[in-house]
Amino acid sequence: MRAISAERLQQQVEFLVEIDKLKTVMRRTDLISADRRENDAEHSWHLAVAAMVLAEYANDPIDLSKVIKMVLIHDLVEIDAGDTYCYDVEGAKDKEEREQRAADRLFAILPQDQGKEFRKLWAEFEEGATAEAKFAAALDRFQPVLHNLRTDGRSWSQHGIVRQQVAKRIAPIADGSARLWHYISRLIAEAVAAGILKEK
Amino acid sequence: MRAISAERLQQQVEFLVEIDKLKTVMRRTDLISADRRENDAEHSWHLAVAAMVLAEYANDPIDLSKVIKMVLIHDLVEIDAGDTYCYDVEGAKDKEEREQRAADRLFAILPQDQGKEFRKLWAEFEEGATAEAKFAAALDRFQPVLHNLRTDGRSWSQHGIVRQQVAKRIAPIADGSARLWHYISRLIAEAVAAGILKEK
């Protein structure tokens, strides 16, 4: 057994206790399998498995392990900052500031070296410059659209979302995976034709 | 873009839609942060982040990426087989049979190569022979005890669970991580002393 301080393990356990709260941060997207909203922990789990399943469609070679870790922690800041609905223009204005403050607090619960490592991974996701961040972002935008398509556009219609907003929202999927962008674009066109998603 | 059949991607998407159901499989453990039971998707997410945070305590060198993938999919079979409470002796009798049937159905939704890969990973977890499977199992037994300890033993008292049952349940943690076993054993002794966990 390595000589590790009791304090280090205690900090790690406190972090694991703190992030339990992610299970209570509700998103606007509904589950496919039940008529209720999804929470951030469920969403993060779903993205991680989606990364395992869809990795072959990344535009560029990716370190899959890094993508999985990224999506597992990408929404932790919402424990403090809350979920900003992706079509909420007002909420988007101070989103970054709120999330940076949340990152300051949350990652500081961990031992310093791990806190730095987690924050770096989250910052990489937010900056969206690397192949891993682009693919992670593609999954993050693909999954809620899939949920909407499989629930007859339930959360789109509840919030009055139209095709033009969805098209803009999914555009970055192409940066991470042209294949997934083509696939979801075709389904969106079909949803519009079927009247599930309205035009402006 | 690689030449990948539309059918392959469709199978992968159907799998991602199917596993949404894991969010509706309820466990006996309560959340720490809210007075409600935890579901399997939330639990799997929590274990994956716990693997990232606690990897240094594994008894033997581990491939962390494999541990994370393992815990992400370890409970998928419960979509069909349901969650068998870990202290349910009756339910344990046909648990393996129910879970094997579930694995047959679920992993067959994926393209054949991926279905085989996922099933192999799940079988490795179930067999518990490798360093990765032992550490994954340690996390799977550590997390619900932590939840109980942080909620004044709420689910233990609801189900009349006593110290002897918990001690038996956590024994395998030592095979994956002596450090985590020592840590949680000390907390359990304190919980008994505080009257949160009863003796037989």
Side-chain angles (χ1 to χ4, degrees), chain A residues 9 45-46 53 76 88 112 116 150 155 183 187:
Chain A
L9 177 50
W45 166 79
H46 214 163
V53 172
L76 284 181
D88 174 3
Q112 202 172 30
K116 274 189 186 169
R150 291 302 179 107
S155 99
Y183 175 83
L187 291 182

Side-chain angles (χ1 to χ4, degrees), chain B residues 87 156 159-167 197-200:
Chain B
Y87 301 108
W156 285 332
H159 299 99
I161 303 303
V162 296
R163 183 187 68 76
Q164 287 78 0
Q165 288 166 290
V166 176
L197 179 61
K198 307 288 180 204
E199 294 279 350
K200 187 151 56 183

Side-chain angles (χ1 to χ4, degrees), chain B residues 21-152:
Chain B
K21 293 176 184 165
L22 198 68
K23 302 167 189 171
T24 68
V25 179
M26 303 309 289
R27 294 166 50 78
R28 303 295 174 107
T29 312
D30 278 9
L31 298 193
I32 298 172
S33 54
D35 188 8
R36 70 157 171 87
R37 281 159 67 188
E38 184 183 43
N39 68 55
D40 270 350
E42 296 168 327
H43 163 68
S44 301
W45 166 79
H46 214 163
L47 294 194
V49 182
M52 289 172 67
V53 171
L54 303 175
E56 65 196 272
Y57 304 113
N59 287 346
D60 299 306
I62 49 164
D63 173 351
L64 174 58
S65 167
K66 195 192 223 187
V67 173
I68 293 173
K69 290 176 183 172
M70 218 175 241
V71 297
L72 285 171
I73 67 156
H74 82 291
D75 271 343
L76 284 181
V77 291
E78 297 190 357
I79 288 173
D80 287 355
D83 176 59
T84 306
Y85 189 35
C86 62
Y87 301 108
D88 173 4
V89 179
E90 270 308 302
K93 285 179 184 165
D94 65 342
K95 179 172 182 276
E96 193 187 331
E97 192 198 317
R98 282 184 284 121
E99 293 191 347
Q100 291 291 343
R101 271 204 309 271
D104 289 343
R105 185 185 76 79
L106 279 164
F107 297 130
I109 300 171
L110 283 167
Q112 203 171 30
D113 59 312
Q114 271 190 334
K116 275 190 186 166
E117 185 195 318
F118 274 58
R119 180 144 196 171
K120 200 175 149 198
L121 195 60
W122 173 71
E124 184 176 330
F125 173 79
E126 286 294 308
E127 284 156 20
T130 63
E132 285 79 13
K134 285 176 188 166
F135 189 62
L139 297 173
D140 192 29
R141 293 178 181 222
F142 182 88
Q143 187 250 8
V145 173
L146 184 62
H147 277 233
N148 260 296
L149 291 166
R150 293 300 179 109
T151 54
D152 295 330

Side-chain angles (χ1 to χ4, degrees), chain A residues 12 14 23 38 46 57, chain B residues 12 14 23 38 57 150:
Chain A
Q12 292 162 323
E14 292 308 329
K23 300 167 189 171
E38 185 183 43
H46 214 163
Y57 304 113
Chain B
Q12 291 161 324
E14 292 308 330
K23 302 167 189 171
E38 184 183 43
Y57 304 113
R150 293 300 179 109

Side-chain angles (χ1 to χ4, degrees), chain A residues 1-2 4-10 12-24 26 30-34 36 38-46 48-50 52-57 64-65 68-73 76 110 113-114 117-118 121 142-143 146-147 150 178-180 182-183 186-187, chain B residues 1-2 4-10 12-24 26 30-34 36 38-46 48-50 52-57 64-65 68-73 76 110 113-114 117-118 121 142-143 146-147 150 178-180 182-183 186-187:
Chain A
M1 200 187 321
R2 292 163 57 192
I4 296 164
S5 78
E7 191 194 342
R8 180 173 175 86
L9 177 50
Q10 197 53 45
Q12 292 162 323
V13 168
E14 292 308 329
F15 179 77
L16 293 175
V17 168
E18 178 65 25
I19 67 170
D20 189 72
K21 293 176 184 165
L22 198 68
K23 300 167 189 171
T24 67
M26 302 311 288
D30 278 8
L31 298 192
I32 297 172
S33 54
R36 71 156 170 87
E38 185 183 43
N39 68 55
D40 269 349
E42 296 168 327
H43 163 67
S44 301
W45 166 79
H46 214 163
V49 182
M52 289 171 66
V53 172
L54 302 174
E56 66 195 89
Y57 304 113
L64 173 58
S65 168
I68 293 173
K69 290 176 182 172
M70 219 174 240
V71 297
L72 285 171
I73 68 156
L76 284 181
L110 283 167
D113 60 311
Q114 271 189 335
E117 187 195 317
F118 273 59
L121 195 60
F142 182 89
Q143 187 249 8
L146 184 63
H147 277 233
R150 291 302 179 107
R179 186 75 177 80
L180 293 180
H182 278 289
Y183 175 83
R186 186 174 54 75
L187 291 182
Chain B
M1 199 186 326
R2 292 162 57 191
I4 297 165
S5 78
E7 191 193 340
R8 180 173 175 85
L9 177 51
Q10 197 54 45
Q12 291 161 324
V13 168
E14 292 308 330
F15 180 76
L16 293 175
V17 169
E18 178 66 24
I19 67 170
D20 190 71
K21 293 176 184 165
L22 198 68
K23 302 167 189 171
T24 68
M26 303 309 289
D30 278 9
L31 298 193
I32 298 172
S33 54
R36 70 157 171 87
E38 184 183 43
N39 68 55
D40 270 350
E42 296 168 327
H43 163 68
S44 301
W45 166 79
H46 214 163
V49 182
M52 289 172 67
V53 171
L54 303 175
E56 65 196 272
Y57 304 113
L64 174 58
S65 167
I68 293 173
K69 290 176 183 172
M70 218 175 241
V71 297
L72 285 171
I73 67 156
L76 284 181
L110 283 167
D113 59 312
Q114 271 190 334
E117 185 195 318
F118 274 58
L121 195 60
F142 182 88
Q143 187 250 8
L146 184 62
H147 277 233
R150 293 300 179 109
R179 186 74 177 82
L180 293 180
H182 278 289
Y183 175 83
R186 185 175 53 77
L187 292 182

